[in-house]
C-alpha cells in the first residue's frame, strides 16, 4: 500500500488494473473454502478496511491513471454498498437467505457482504473514499487543480447513485440502519456534486416509481442540506 502512494515509483495503467483485479478476487465463490480459518464479523470489517485503504491510496496518488480505467473502479465501488445492507425483519428466513445468496453471487466481496451490515466506521470510511474521489485536488499553489478527472468521473457517478437506489428499493434487504445511512450520505452528496441535469436524468430512467420517489427525496435533501449551504 505504501508503494502505491509513492510518487517516485512509476506504475503503468495495466499495473493498476492488476491491483483492482486482485481486489475483485474477493468475490470468488470458492474463496471462503480456501481460507485457513473461518471468517467472522471482525475479520470481515478488517478485510473491508484493507480494501478501503488500497482504493484510497490509489485515488489520492494515481488519479490521472485511474481516469483511464473508471469502469474497473466503479465496478468495485458499486458493490461496496452491499456491505451495509440489513435484511428486513418482516421477511421470512427463506426469503432472507435467498436474497443474501443472490447478492453474494451477483456482486464482488461476497466474503464481506455475508456479514453485512458492517460497522458504522466502515460506512464512514466508504463515504470518505467516495468524497475524496469526487473532490478536486489542489495544486502546489493551494488552488483547485484544472484536472479533467472530475468531469470524466461525473459520467460514472450516476451508476453509483443508481446502485444505491436499487438497493434501497429491494423488498427483502436495504441499507436501513440509520447510523449507516447517515454515514453514507456525504458520499452520495459528493456524487451528486458531479451530476448535472443530464446525469440526473440518466439515474431517473433506471428507476421504478419507488426509486424515482427516493431519488427526488435524496436530491431535495442534497439541495437543502449540502449544495445551498456552501458545502458543495
Amino acid at each position: 500500500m505504501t508503494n502505491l502512494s509513492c510518487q517516485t515509483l512509476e506504475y503503468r495503467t495495466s499495473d493498476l488494473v492488476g491491483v483492482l483485479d486482485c481486489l475483485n478476487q474477493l468475490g470468488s465463490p470458492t474463496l471462503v473454502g480456501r481460507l485457513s480459518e473461518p471468517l467472522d464479523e471482525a475479520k470481515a470489517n478488517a478485510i473491508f478496511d484493507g480494501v478501503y485503504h488500497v482504493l484510497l491510496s490509489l485515488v489520492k496518488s494515481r488519479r490521472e491513471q485511474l481516469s483511464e480505467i473508471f469502469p474497473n473502479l466503479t465496478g468495485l465501488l458499486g458493490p461496496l454498498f452491499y456491505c451495509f445492507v440489513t435484511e428486513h425483519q418482516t421477511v421470512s428466513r427463506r426469503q432472507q437467505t435467498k436474497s443474501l445468496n443472490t447478492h453474494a453471487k451477483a456482486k464482488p466481496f461476497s466474503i464481506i457482504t455475508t456479514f453485512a451490515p458492517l460497522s458504522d466506521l466502515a460506512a464512514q470510511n466508504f463515504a470518505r473514499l467516495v468524497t475524496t474521489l469526487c473532490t478536486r485536488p489542489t495544486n502546489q499553489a493551494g488552488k483547485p487543480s484544472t484536472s479533467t478527472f472530475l468531469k470524466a468521473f461525473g459520467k460514472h457517478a450516476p451508476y453509483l447513485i443508481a446502485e444505491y437506489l436499487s438497493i434501497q428499493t429491494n423488498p427483502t434487504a436495504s441499507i436501513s440502519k440509520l447510523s449507516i445511512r447517515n454515514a453514507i450520505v456525504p458520499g452520495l452528496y459528493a456524487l451528486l456534486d458531479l451530476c448535472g441535469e443530464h446525469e440526473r436524468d440518466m439515474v431517473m430512467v433506471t428507476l421504478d416509481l419507488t426509486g424515482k420517489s427516493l431519488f427526488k427525496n435524496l436530491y431535495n435533501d442534497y439541495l437543502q442540506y449540502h449544495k445551498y449551504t456552501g458545502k458543495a
Side-chain angles (χ1 to χ4, degrees), residues 191-219:
L191 290 169
L192 284 170
D193 282 340
L194 304 183
C195 294
E197 183 177 359
H198 174 69
E199 287 75 23
R200 294 194 299 273
D201 287 343
M202 286 177 58
V203 176
M204 288 292 281
V205 298
T206 68
L207 304 172
D208 58 16
L209 290 177
T210 302
K212 285 180 170 64
S213 177
L214 287 175
F215 184 46
K216 289 178 181 178
N217 291 338
L218 174 65
Y219 186 67

Side-chain angles (χ1 to χ4, degrees), residues 181-193:
R181 284 211 317 269
N182 289 340
I184 289 175
V185 161
L188 297 173
Y189 287 171
L191 290 169
L192 284 170
D193 282 340

Side-chain angles (χ1 to χ4, degrees), residues 22-227:
C22 285
L23 296 180
N24 248 328
Q25 292 305 307
L26 293 174
S28 171
T30 63
L31 180 58
V32 174
R34 301 200 304 268
L35 298 177
S36 59
E37 55 186 62
L39 286 173
D40 56 26
E41 185 176 347
K43 292 175 183 176
N45 275 283
I47 292 172
F48 178 90
D49 189 61
V51 172
Y52 158 70
H53 278 100
V54 170
L55 291 178
L56 185 66
S57 180
L58 289 176
V59 169
K60 285 185 173 181
S61 62
R62 307 291 168 182
R63 291 173 71 93
E64 298 308 315
Q65 286 177 282
L66 283 178
S67 66
E68 302 175 32
I69 53 173
F70 276 145
N72 305 68
L73 180 61
T74 55
L76 287 171
L77 288 175
L80 285 178
F81 279 115
Y82 287 82
C83 295
F84 308 105
V85 163
T86 299
E87 296 171 1
H88 299 165
Q89 295 297 320
T90 56
V91 179
S92 70
R93 176 59 58 183
R94 177 177 294 182
Q95 287 176 300
Q96 288 178 349
T97 302
K98 181 179 179 181
S99 174
L100 183 61
N101 289 341
T102 298
H103 288 165
K105 292 177 181 178
K107 302 295 178 181
F109 307 111
S110 59
I111 63 171
I112 308 177
T113 54
T114 300
F115 297 93
L118 298 185
S119 67
D120 290 0
L121 177 60
Q124 293 164 11
N125 283 339
F126 177 58
R128 186 175 297 113
L129 171 64
V130 175
T131 301
T132 302
L133 182 61
C134 297
T135 301
R136 188 182 302 278
T138 56
N139 56 27
Q140 293 181 345
K143 296 181 179 180
S145 169
T146 57
S147 169
T148 59
F149 179 91
L150 291 184
K151 183 177 180 180
F153 183 66
K155 298 177 181 179
H156 297 264
Y159 299 103
L160 295 176
I161 297 172
E163 186 84 59
Y164 168 79
L165 292 169
S166 71
I167 293 173
Q168 295 305 82
T169 57
N170 189 308
T172 60
S174 64
I175 302 173
S176 57
K177 185 179 178 182
L178 182 60
S179 59
I180 287 180
R181 284 211 317 269
N182 289 340
I184 289 175
V185 161
L188 297 173
Y189 287 171
L191 290 169
L192 284 170
D193 282 340
L194 304 183
C195 294
E197 183 177 359
H198 174 69
E199 287 75 23
R200 294 194 299 273
D201 287 343
M202 286 177 58
V203 176
M204 288 292 281
V205 298
T206 68
L207 304 172
D208 58 16
L209 290 177
T210 302
K212 285 180 170 64
S213 177
L214 287 175
F215 184 46
K216 289 178 181 178
N217 291 338
L218 174 65
Y219 186 67
N220 287 336
D221 287 345
Y222 160 78
L223 294 178
Q224 182 176 356
Y225 301 114
H226 182 76
K227 184 173 183 178

